[in-house]
């Protein structure tokens, strides 16, 4: 160990930064971590956690209707935005404290302030400079809103959770995770939702069947889903926002949510004082050990691009700390990372899409199932579940699992283990199903899809 103030100085107390700081400290390193916004980062404060709470809230709307077919009389339930928003605030503030305690528990020094890199071994925070053998940048991402007339009137995922008033009419711009999830949330909470996507079909990068089935189900659920259209301008007219669209039409709403991607959060970090290189996407370029082109500075999580998912950042934080402070070689395995979009119904996916599998393996077999869930035979809800398996013909290995349906996230997590373990279609077939569930369909798809 050296005479520097710390062995590790972490900038950013989100999922990746906190995990790296805690692990390194538990291995005996002298650790400091700086955060200027909120402990727990995007996931805890304006991402996964509040989003999932709002998804739960949004599902009650349809659940009250579903209940009638089962004999329940649920007349006129009403929704109060302020209750949801304020209960959410309380829970998030509890989680912020949990994070503070976790860092205190391993004696990592926490600085409440924005840290700036001064030189490859020093960081300035709250007017003081601290030295460290290693610096770790884990500052995450920040919503990106393109510039156009009135773009400042749009809100992003940073603000949407805490709106003063519930937007009875909302336009959601984008066709990725956040747009699709929030279109579902506001639709379920009773708003009139228009989702605008610039291309011919949203969810680019997901399996083609899933994208088509998702468009069908989301439109059926009540979202006014419009493709091949973009926003030209937004104007405020009294309390209303007037949107001019690229197809020449107009839209009047109470709020516009922009969910058009996120960019690495590098502003004011002092990277100009280092030799850190960025890659083509503007993310910090790192090697397999998360080392940047400045040897003493590392970076991980959303700030390095890659899959912007909390569990990925956690795994990276763990691998970094083990390698640098234990030391133990336990690299992150980036294959077969499962992921879910918490739209209604959920999308769960792991492994190759059909399009990727054709390119990677040549000959593949597809198994598909499209059905109405048992629950909806009585609820009367017109919602269908879709499932798909992709099998490499030469090895019989299942290389892709895709689902659109209730609890797809919960189901896909278990199947991801099977795929990582190399399960073949024969293994799926010989697995006994759990009856009656939707998940059993994954082990009972006998006939390959013939087109
Ligand atoms: P995504 O990258 O998923 O989607 C961005 C969307 O915005 C795309 O549909 C893109 O279109 C569109 N877009 C980009 N630029 C423009 C523009 N100038 N004008 C109009 N549309 C545009 O980003 P998100 O913001 O939805 O989410 C960021 C990341 O956060 C995700 O990629 C994901 O990794 C993570 N996340 C994960 C969640 C989960 O695990 N459940 C939930 C939420 C976020 P096109 O496809 O044509 O480029």
């Amino acid at each position: 160990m050296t005479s520097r103030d710390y062995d590790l100085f972490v900038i950013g107390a989100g999922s990746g930064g906190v995990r790296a700081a805690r692990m390194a400290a538990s291995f005996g390193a002298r650790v400091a971590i700086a955060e200027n916004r909120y402990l727990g980062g995007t996931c805890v404060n304006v991402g996964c956690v509040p989003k999932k709470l709002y998804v739960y809230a949004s599902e009650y709307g349809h659940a009250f209707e579903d209940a009638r077919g089962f004999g329940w009389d649920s007349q006129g339930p009403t929704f109060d935005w302020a209750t949801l928003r304020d209960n959410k605030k309380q829970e998030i503030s509890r989680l912020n404290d949990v994070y503070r305690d976790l860092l205190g528990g391993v004696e990592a020094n926490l600085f409440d302030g924005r840290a700036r890199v001064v030189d490859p071994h020093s960081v300035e925070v709250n007017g003081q400079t601290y030295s460290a053998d290693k610096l770790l940048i884990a500052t995450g991402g920040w919503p990106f809103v393109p510039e156009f007339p009135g773009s400042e009137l749009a809100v992003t995922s940073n603000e949407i959770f805490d709106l003063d008033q519930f937007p009875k009419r909302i336009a959601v711009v984008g066709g990725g995770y956040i747009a699709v999830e929030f279109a579902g949330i506001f639709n379920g909470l009773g708003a009139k939702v228009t989702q605008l996507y610039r291309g011919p079909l949203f969810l680019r990068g997901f399996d083609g069947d899933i994208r088509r089935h998702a468009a069908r189900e989301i439109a059926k659920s009540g979202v006014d889903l419009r493709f091949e259209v973009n926003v030209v301008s937004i104007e405020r007219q009294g309390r209303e926002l007037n949107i001019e669209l690229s197809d020449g039409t107009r839209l009047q709403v109470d709020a516009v949510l922009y969910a058009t991607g996120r960019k690495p959060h590098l502003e004011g970090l002092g990277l100009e004082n280092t030799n850190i290189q960025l890659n083509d996407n503007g993310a910090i370029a790192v090697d397999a050990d998360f080392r940047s082109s400045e040897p003493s500075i590392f970076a991980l999580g959303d700030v390095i691009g890659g899959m912007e998912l909390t569990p990925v950042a956690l795994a990276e934080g763990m691998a970094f700390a083990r390698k640098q402070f234990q030391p133990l070689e336990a690299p992150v395995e980036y294959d077969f990372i499962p992921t879910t979009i918490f739209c209604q119904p959920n999308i769960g996916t792991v492994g190759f899409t059909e399009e990727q599998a054709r390119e990677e393996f040549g000959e593949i077999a597809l198994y598909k199932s499209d059905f109405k869930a048992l629950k909806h035979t009585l609820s009367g809800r017109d919602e269908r579940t879709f499932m798909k398996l992709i099998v490499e013909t030469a090895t019989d290995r299942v290389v892709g699992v895709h689902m659109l349906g209730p609890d797809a996230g919960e189901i896909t997590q278990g199947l991801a283990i099977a795929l990582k373990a190399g399960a073949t279609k024969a293994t799926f077939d010989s697995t006994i199903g759990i009856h009656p569930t939707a998940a059993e369909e994954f082990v009972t798809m006998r006939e390959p899809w013939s087109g």
Side-chain angles (χ1 to χ4, degrees):
M1 298 292 165
T2 68
S3 57
R4 295 197 175 101
D5 298 328
Y6 296 102
D7 300 318
L8 174 67
F9 200 111
V10 181
I11 306 179
S15 304
V18 169
R19 178 60 61 93
R22 285 179 55 212
M23 286 296 126
S26 73
F27 299 148
R30 297 167 305 139
V31 177
I33 181 165
E35 172 60 56
N36 71 326
R37 203 167 159 88
Y38 25 48
L39 292 178
T42 302
C43 175
V44 167
N45 295 279
V46 286
C48 331
V49 176
K51 181 271 307 291
K52 190 77 187 279
L53 293 174
Y54 281 32
V55 167
Y56 286 132
S58 73
E59 287 172 348
Y60 284 103
H62 290 307
F64 287 121
E65 287 165 27
D66 290 350
R68 291 204 186 99
F70 292 89
W72 290 92
D73 183 6
S74 54
Q75 304 253 328
T78 56
F79 166 68
D80 181 43
W81 169 255
T83 303
L84 172 65
R85 183 195 60 208
D86 297 345
N87 286 349
K88 181 274 304 179
K89 273 189 192 161
Q90 249 179 37
E91 172 56 12
I92 300 308
S93 135
R94 189 188 69 81
L95 290 174
N96 296 147
D97 290 343
V98 168
Y99 269 72
R100 196 172 286 277
D101 290 348
L102 285 173
L103 289 166
V106 290
E107 293 180 6
N109 262 4
L110 174 63
F111 293 99
D112 292 313
R114 178 88 174 149
R116 199 173 66 88
V117 179
V118 180
D119 68 46
H121 286 286
S122 321
V123 163
E124 189 219 295
V125 56
N126 299 336
Q128 293 277 333
T129 302
Y130 302 92
S131 60
D133 282 351
K134 292 177 176 129
L135 310 184
L136 175 66
I137 299 175
T139 45
W142 200 253
F144 157 75
V145 179
E147 280 199 22
F148 59 87
S151 58
E152 71 285 355
L153 296 171
V155 294
T156 69
S157 53
N158 279 356
E159 297 87 34
I160 192 73
F161 293 104
D162 293 314
L163 295 181
D164 287 338
Q165 301 289 328
F166 180 69
K168 293 201 174 105
R169 299 161 302 169
I170 183 168
V172 179
V173 184
Y177 279 84
I178 297 179
V180 171
E181 288 183 342
F182 274 99
I185 287 171
F186 282 101
N187 182 50
L189 294 178
K192 181 176 178 333
V193 180
T194 309
Q195 186 177 350
L196 307 165
Y197 174 59
R198 64 181 176 181
L201 183 60
F202 64 1
L203 296 175
R204 190 162 60 82
F206 283 78
D207 183 89
D209 276 326
I210 288 289
R211 297 168 71 193
R212 286 184 286 277
H213 283 265
R216 184 188 71 191
E217 293 307 318
I218 288 171
K220 272 195 323 200
S221 77
V223 174
D224 177 3
L225 198 50
R226 304 191 196 174
F227 295 150
E228 310 259 34
V229 66
N230 214 339
V231 171
V232 175
S233 67
I234 309 176
E235 257 177 62
R236 177 170 292 289
Q237 284 176 346
R239 300 184 67 169
E240 190 170 85
L241 297 176
N242 195 322
I243 310 178
E244 180 190 1
L245 297 173
S246 55
D247 61 5
T249 61
R250 287 188 168 272
L251 201 58
Q252 280 76 39
V253 293
D254 305 307
V256 182
L257 169 66
Y258 253 76
T260 43
R262 295 171 61 83
K263 298 256 189 250
H265 194 197
L266 300 173
E267 218 179 278
L269 256 183
L271 296 193
E272 64 282 6
N273 301 325
T274 71
N275 285 318
I276 287 179
Q277 305 287 316
L278 304 184
N279 63 26
D280 292 345
N281 301 327
I284 296 182
V286 293
D287 66 13
D289 293 331
F290 308 106
R291 193 186 293 271
S292 74
S293 38
E294 184 69 68
S296 59
I297 306 186
F298 297 75
L300 51 79
D302 290 1
V303 81
I304 61 167
M307 283 186 95
E308 296 168 28
L309 300 172
T310 287
V312 172
L314 293 174
E316 291 176 349
M318 185 91 95
F320 161 79
R322 283 182 174 153
K323 165 93 187 182
Q324 302 300 327
F325 299 101
Q326 209 169 31
L328 175 75
E329 290 282 351
V332 180
E333 294 179 17
Y334 289 98
D335 58 335
F336 294 105
I337 294 176
T339 169
T340 285
I341 303 183
F342 294 96
C343 48
Q344 282 103 358
N346 283 185
I347 293 169
T349 174
V350 55
F352 292 81
T353 64
E354 178 180 339
E355 298 76 12
Q356 293 165 337
R358 280 196 196 290
E359 212 160 276
E360 178 81 15
F361 305 108
E363 212 176 315
I364 54 172
L366 303 175
Y367 296 81
K368 301 187 189 183
S369 182
D370 178 359
F371 59 95
K372 181 180 240 189
L374 178 61
K375 183 176 178 183
H376 298 316
T377 56
L378 291 201
S379 77
R381 197 195 292 195
D382 180 23
E383 178 185 284
R384 295 188 71 77
T385 294
F386 174 74
M387 292 175 170
K388 178 172 181 180
L389 289 180
I390 300 169
V391 179
E392 181 190 11
T393 309
T395 60
D396 195 41
R397 186 172 176 194
V398 179
V399 294
V401 170
H402 306 278
M403 173 173 178
L404 174 86
D407 301 319
E410 304 291 340
I411 294 168
T412 311
Q413 180 68 80
L415 291 172
I417 302 171
L419 263 62
K420 264 188 81 68
T424 59
K425 181 65 169 63
T427 316
F428 272 62
D429 291 345
S430 64
T431 302
I432 306 286
I434 301 174
H435 187 70
T437 61
E440 71 179 315
E441 204 59 25
F442 275 124
V443 295
T444 53
M445 290 195 243
R446 301 274 176 245
E447 293 301 318
W449 186 73
S450 53

